[in-house]
Every structure is written in structure tokens, then in C-alpha cells.
Amino acid sequence: MRLYTVPTERSLAVAAPSSGVVVRWLNAAAIFAEWLLGLRLFSVPASSCEHLVAHSSPAVTRLFGPQNHVRYMFGAFLGAANSAPYSPYGRWRLGTDLRGALLRSLLRVSVARSPLSELPRVRPSAPPTHGPLTAARRKHVLDRVVRRPAAAAVRIKQPLVVTGLPRTGSTLLHSLLVCDPNAFFLKGDDDSALLAHQLYPTTTLFPALPHAPLDEKRVASDYLLEVYVYLKRYIQLFFLDHLEAVPKAHVLLASPYHSKNLQALLSVFPDARIITTHRSPFKVLPAYAQHYATIQAPLLAPNSVDAHDFGARVLRDAHEMAAGLTETRRSLRREQSGFVLLPHTDANADAEVTSVSEEQFLDIHYAGLEGNPVETVQEIYTYFGLDYTEAFERAMREYLKNHPHRDHESGNLATLQKKFGYSKEAIDKEFADYIAEFDIQVEYD
């Protein structure tokens, strides 16, 4: 068994040395046990997950779409996971996350500021005034919507969506926006946990991506529509029990992944209001790579991934997000062959919304957000015609007082660029269109 395949000085483990001591020791002990016994510990739980992914029926197909693309993704990633360089801890995490996304209740809901309760057991007499939506297990959501098809008729009007490249201030902005008592949001920093219900490749599936023989065209359209229809059904299911909250509430979604999936998102939520956060890619890329390397390193076998190769993958990921933002905005300005809404299972629900306009987008730049966070939120609410209250502003200022903002840069920028193999020329080439489209102030240091 080859444990070390990348020179130590170029290993991702060296580029991100801050993973927990306990995890590193457990990984080392498990690797030694594998070598000693000739066994593979913590295999990916194919049999215990496959029947959950295969769960379907004519009613599920009618309400959610065929789900065959989700099954395709599961098969592709399952095969890839067995050849990806996961550590024993990484395989255990992958299995845990897969079962969690498909079966276990991950997130909870705060109802009328009461103690946290699981949504399927909650029928409050009063609507929740503030709180995160519940991400109940996927199979349970499918079954529950089938049993209560009226959920599909609940109108989710003009959700507010925060997206943009990672490390551009979207987490700070999201944290401020959830201070609004009328905002309903997924608990956590973004929507990744719920996207993972449909096998969207977030954190623990990321190492398997280079090994997955994905049909890019299929993933780019049909599969993503299944992801966002599921997201919509989930939100509708929540509001079905709280219809009295619908007129005054607005749904808040947030994820950098929405940046490269805007056609699918807007096909399912055609009246969505999109806030895009921006920052110089020369600041974003090293910070994003360092952050993601810290998360990924414990999932990977020691010295199995070159830090420069990892940096290149992160760059491609960020480039796809930037290209998605850029192409969407350019297509909205083209008179012919412009932005196209894709047909899908729920297309008739929003039949009165037949097009998307550039006025649905608002750009927020990092410098303005960092320097004037409350004023930036006021600008957003004024632009989209949302009700901005004194209680909301007090909650934001209290949050900022208790959570002082710190920049995501950890280490010298030039050192991080060298660590992950970035050059000014390469970043400038990949992000030239994005920089020009959004008039981004370039900062090299």
C-alpha cells in the first residue's frame, strides 16, 4: 500500500497543517491498521444508501421530476469514491454525510423563538417569527410532499438569494440578513446541506470529483433542475404549515454554488432577487484555497494530493462560478438567444413569470460591505423594496458588536499564491471577463 505519493513539501497536508490533532492521530492509527491487516476500513456504504436514492414513484416523478439524474450522480460518485484518495477518516465522513443527506435530519427549525424542534413533529398555533427552515431527510421529504400535494401549490414569492465567489463577504452579508424577523432561512452559513440531499458535490464529495466520469451536459441542466425543484418543494412543505406567515415573510437562500447554477435556479424561482458579492480574484483565490484545503486535508490520505493540483481545482471551481455570474448577466442584455428559462416539473406554477430581467440583480462589492455593513443592507432593502425596520437594524448592530468581522486572509498573500501554484498571469487570464463585467477593483497585495 502506497501511503506517500506526493513530495512532502508539495503535499496538501503541509499546505493546510491546521486540521485537528485528534483527527490526524486517528487517521494515522487507521492507516497503520489498514497496512497491518490488509483491510480497507470504513468502506462507502453503498447498500445502505442505494435504496434511499432509488426511492421513487409516479407521484414523486410528478412532483419532483424523474430523479434518475440524482441516481446517476450517486452511481458516478460511488464509483469515484472507491478510487479517490480518501483517508480512513474521509471515507467515514463521506459515508456519514451520505447517510445524513439521504436519511438523517440535519437541520432544525426555531419556531416562534422556542426551543429547537424538528419540523415534522411541530404544528404551532402561531407562525414562526424567526428561524431556520428544517432540512429533514430526503426520503421523508419526498414522502411527505406526496402525502400532502397541496405543498406544491404554495407560492414562494421573490426569494432573496445571496451568491458570489467564496470569501467575498457573502457569509457576513447572510449573517446580517438573517437578523430580519421576516427572513426564513436554512440554518448554517449556506444551503449546502440541503443541496447535498440531491447529491450535489459539496464538501465530502469534492475529492471524488476528478475521478467521477460525469456527463457535463447532463449535470448542467436536467440534474440541476432536480436539485432546485427539490429545494423549492422543501421550502413549500415548510410554509404549508405556516401559510399565515407567507404574505409578510421572504425566503433567504445563500450559497456560492448558486453562482454557477443560475439558469437552473431562476428556472425554478424565476422572480428571485439575486445579490451577488464581489472581490478581487487575487484576494479571493488564495483565501478560498487555504480555507478549503483546511477542510479537505483530513479527508485525504497523507501526501496523496499535490497542493498545486488542488489549487488548480479550486481555481477551476471559482472560474465556473465567475463565468456563471458573467454569462448570466450578459445573456440578460442580449436581445436574441439571451437568457432562457428551462422547462421542468414545476414550470407551470410560475407561469405568470415568463422572463428574467437584469433588474433582479444587485451587485455588492467587498470594500463597501466591509466598511459599511448596515448601510449596505439598507441599500439592498431599498433596491428590492423590502421593509427595513428599526428592530432589524438593532439586531444587525448587536450581531456586529458580538461578532467582529475579520478578513478571511490567513497568511501573506504572496506566500499563499506560491503554496497553491497561483500566478498573477494565470488568475488574470481566467478572471478577465469577470473583472471587466463587474468593474472589480483589482488588488494584487
Side-chain angles (χ1 to χ4, degrees):
M1 179 184 296
R2 292 186 65 193
L3 300 182
Y4 302 96
T5 58
V6 174
T8 301
E9 65 274 10
R10 286 277 296 272
S11 168
L12 185 66
V14 174
S18 59
S19 57
V21 174
V22 174
V23 171
R24 291 203 301 272
W25 277 103
L26 289 175
N27 252 335
I31 290 169
F32 179 73
E34 288 183 330
W35 173 80
L36 185 66
L37 302 174
L39 299 175
R40 185 180 179 87
L41 302 178
F42 307 118
S43 296
V44 179
S47 58
S48 63
C49 292
E50 191 168 5
H51 75 283
L52 297 172
V53 177
H55 179 71
S56 189
S57 68
V60 168
T61 300
R62 184 177 69 255
L63 291 165
F64 288 88
Q67 301 300 292
N68 56 312
H69 303 292
V70 174
R71 292 192 290 273
Y72 162 77
M73 289 292 284
F74 178 76
F77 278 114
L78 186 66
N82 292 321
S83 56
Y86 283 102
S87 65
Y89 170 74
R91 290 193 297 274
W92 174 79
R93 271 288 308 276
L94 177 61
T96 300
D97 285 2
L98 278 175
R99 281 190 295 260
L102 299 175
L103 179 64
R104 183 165 49 87
S105 180
L106 294 177
L107 308 179
R108 298 174 184 273
V109 63
S110 174
V111 179
R113 300 189 186 276
S114 65
L116 296 179
S117 308
E118 292 187 9
L119 177 62
R121 300 176 184 173
V122 173
R123 299 277 304 200
S125 57
T129 57
H130 179 272
L133 302 172
T134 302
R137 56 192 183 272
R138 176 181 182 269
K139 182 177 181 297
H140 188 73
V141 171
L142 298 180
D143 290 339
R144 194 166 168 81
V145 172
V146 167
R147 291 197 305 269
R148 307 182 69 191
V154 176
R155 177 71 191 278
I156 306 301
K157 187 177 180 181
Q158 295 183 305
L160 197 60
V161 181
V162 179
T163 192
L165 274 63
R167 326 315 275 174
T168 56
S170 57
T171 300
L172 170 61
L173 181 57
H174 178 258
S175 298
L176 295 175
L177 293 173
V178 302
C179 293
D180 186 348
N182 289 325
F184 286 76
F185 55 95
L186 295 170
K187 188 174 182 180
D189 290 338
D190 60 29
D191 308 333
S192 300
L194 195 54
L195 296 178
H197 281 210
Q198 293 289 74
L199 278 296
Y200 191 87
T202 52
T203 304
T204 50
L205 283 172
F206 191 76
L209 270 175
H211 306 269
L214 297 177
D215 181 337
E216 294 295 334
K217 184 177 180 180
R218 184 175 184 177
V219 172
S221 55
D222 298 330
Y223 164 67
L224 290 173
L225 286 173
E226 290 182 8
V227 170
Y228 283 99
V229 168
Y230 178 90
L231 177 62
K232 182 175 183 178
R233 291 286 184 255
Y234 175 80
I235 297 169
Q236 289 172 316
L237 182 61
F238 174 86
F239 276 110
L240 183 61
D241 287 330
H242 311 300
L243 289 175
E244 57 268 61
V246 172
K248 65 177 182 178
H250 63 265
V251 172
L252 175 63
L253 302 174
S255 174
Y257 296 110
H258 297 323
S259 296
K260 51 183 176 180
N261 305 328
L262 284 170
Q263 187 178 32
L265 184 151
L266 285 165
S267 295
V268 177
F269 300 100
D271 59 353
R273 298 166 288 193
I274 314 291
I275 307 166
T276 54
T277 54
H278 303 286
R279 193 183 186 187
S280 170
F282 298 92
K283 294 278 191 178
V284 168
L285 261 295
Y288 179 27
Q290 177 78 346
H291 169 73
Y292 218 51
T294 302
I295 296 172
Q296 292 289 306
L299 305 177
L300 299 164
N303 294 9
S304 62
V305 176
D306 186 294
H308 285 197
D309 291 342
F310 183 83
R313 288 177 56 198
V314 170
L315 186 146
R316 285 195 299 272
D317 193 46
H319 171 72
E320 290 176 6
M321 296 179 192
L325 292 171
T326 303
E327 178 54 30
T328 297
R329 299 294 279 278
R330 289 179 175 177
S331 68
L332 288 170
R333 292 196 296 269
R334 286 197 292 264
E335 293 184 5
Q336 296 181 348
S337 65
F339 190 88
V340 178
L341 293 175
L342 301 171
H344 58 89
T345 300
D346 202 43
N348 292 331
D350 295 296
E352 69 273 22
V353 184
T354 59
S355 63
V356 175
S357 71
E358 199 169 12
E359 285 68 36
Q360 290 174 229
F361 289 77
L362 178 64
D363 298 312
I364 298 296
H365 290 266
Y366 182 83
L369 174 62
E370 182 187 40
N372 301 288
V374 174
E375 290 77 6
T376 298
V377 172
Q378 285 179 316
E379 176 190 346
I380 292 169
Y381 271 55
T382 298
Y383 182 83
F384 288 122
L386 292 167
D387 186 19
Y388 183 88
T389 64
E390 292 183 4
F392 177 27
E393 180 168 325
R394 284 196 303 271
M396 284 194 293
R397 293 193 184 280
E398 184 69 18
Y399 173 84
L400 291 169
K401 178 182 177 182
N402 295 329
H403 303 84
H405 178 62
R406 64 177 183 84
D407 204 329
H408 290 306
E409 294 176 37
S410 57
N412 179 271
L413 193 63
T415 302
L416 292 177
Q417 288 176 346
K418 181 179 180 181
K419 182 187 295 185
F420 294 104
Y422 293 142
S423 67
K424 293 179 180 179
E425 294 75 19
I427 295 176
D428 189 50
K429 178 181 178 182
E430 292 291 336
F431 293 91
D433 287 349
Y434 169 71
I435 291 169
E437 173 67 25
F438 296 103
D439 193 25
I440 294 172
Q441 182 180 352
V442 175
E443 302 173 73
Y444 291 104
D445 49 42

